[in-house]
Amino acid sequence: MKDEIVIAQAMNGQVRIHAARTTALVEEARKAHHCMATSAAALGRVLSATAIMASDLKNPQEKITSVMNGHGPAGTVLAQADGAGNVRGFIGDPSLYLVREDGHLAVGQAIGTNGTLTVTKDLGLKEPFSGVAQIRSGEVGDDFAYYFAISEQTPSIVGVGVLVNPDGTIQASGGLFIQLMPGAKEEAIEKCEQVSAILKPVSTLINEGHSCEEIIRMYFEDAEMLGTRDVRWHCGCSRERFAVALKLLDEKELTEMIEDGKGAEIHCHYCNTYYNFTSREIREILESKRAENRPA
Ligand SMILES: [Zn+2]
């Protein structure tokens, strides 16, 4: 089944719900970064939460970036998603395999609890909007819920989960956001409390083959589906884009790269792709830069 995010509302618009299946995109992320199980789960959860947030963007160029750093062994976990459904990101240490006593992957331990979750919304305006919250558990879902509470004043239930197979591949991944809208009445608050008490891990539901719509209806029988968004792992970097970036360096730096004869190796942190430019190619870039800068 293809990845997707379904957006719904319930109780006459007092509750807004997003359900996401992100299995394929998290598997792509795992492959790109050669992640071990705990790193894959940590990155997958942050990618899923960020993809859900971005599904509300109006414009394909708008972007949301989440950065979690709790000073645990995972280092920085970054996810970025745009209004077109493209999702990319990375984790500082992709090699973690940490397991809790109960057998679950120790995502909270990997991320750590001594730091912050920062969410930046770039809506194409002059100043991107940024919100910060302390990391509570490092388990990601709780941390995003806390972020929504303090930074956006939106009471939220956030579930994000990744099931990893014994061979390290991703079995199932997904997310569920349940949020109280401004003006929600006592009945809606009570309903969300009831739902919170019976909530199953979203990765389990995805693994059982439930569609996003079915997951939403499990908790809100009256839910009205508002739309479905495609979502995928896609970085968007390319050799051409990095050539443009090289061209922006000053002549002195480019000349040094040409003279040392080693060329340049550029690494895209988002998707872990390496691009190599030979000294000759850098010389061509420098020459075209000079030609452009020459007065007409
Ligand atoms: Zn890339």
Side-chain angles (χ1 to χ4, degrees), residues 235 237 268 271:
C235 181
C237 70
C268 177
C271 67

mmCIF file of all heavy atoms in Angstrom, residues 235 237 268 271, ligand 1:
data_model
loop_
_atom_site.group_PDB
_atom_site.id
_atom_site.type_symbol
_atom_site.label_atom_id
_atom_site.label_comp_id
_atom_site.label_asym_id
_atom_site.label_seq_id
_atom_site.Cartn_x
_atom_site.Cartn_y
_atom_site.Cartn_z
ATOM 1 N N CYS A 235 14.479 13.895 -1.768
ATOM 2 C CA CYS A 235 15.364 14.955 -1.304
ATOM 3 C C CYS A 235 15.317 16.173 -2.213
ATOM 4 O O CYS A 235 15.225 17.289 -1.752
ATOM 5 C CB CYS A 235 16.792 14.444 -1.195
ATOM 6 S SG CYS A 235 17.893 15.717 -0.585
ATOM 7 N N CYS A 237 17.811 17.093 -4.082
ATOM 8 C CA CYS A 237 19.157 17.583 -4.397
ATOM 9 C C CYS A 237 19.591 16.997 -5.745
ATOM 10 O O CYS A 237 19.021 16.022 -6.218
ATOM 11 C CB CYS A 237 20.163 17.215 -3.308
ATOM 12 S SG CYS A 237 20.561 15.461 -3.225
ATOM 13 N N CYS A 268 25.381 15.541 0.504
ATOM 14 C CA CYS A 268 24.053 16.014 0.902
ATOM 15 C C CYS A 268 23.678 15.292 2.189
ATOM 16 O O CYS A 268 23.485 14.076 2.189
ATOM 17 C CB CYS A 268 23.015 15.743 -0.188
ATOM 18 S SG CYS A 268 21.372 16.243 0.367
ATOM 19 N N CYS A 271 20.080 13.297 2.318
ATOM 20 C CA CYS A 271 19.807 11.990 1.708
ATOM 21 C C CYS A 271 21.069 11.152 1.597
ATOM 22 O O CYS A 271 21.036 10.064 1.035
ATOM 23 C CB CYS A 271 19.164 12.166 0.339
ATOM 24 S SG CYS A 271 20.261 12.894 -0.877
HETATM 25 ZN ZN ZN B 1 20.001 15.089 -1.053
#
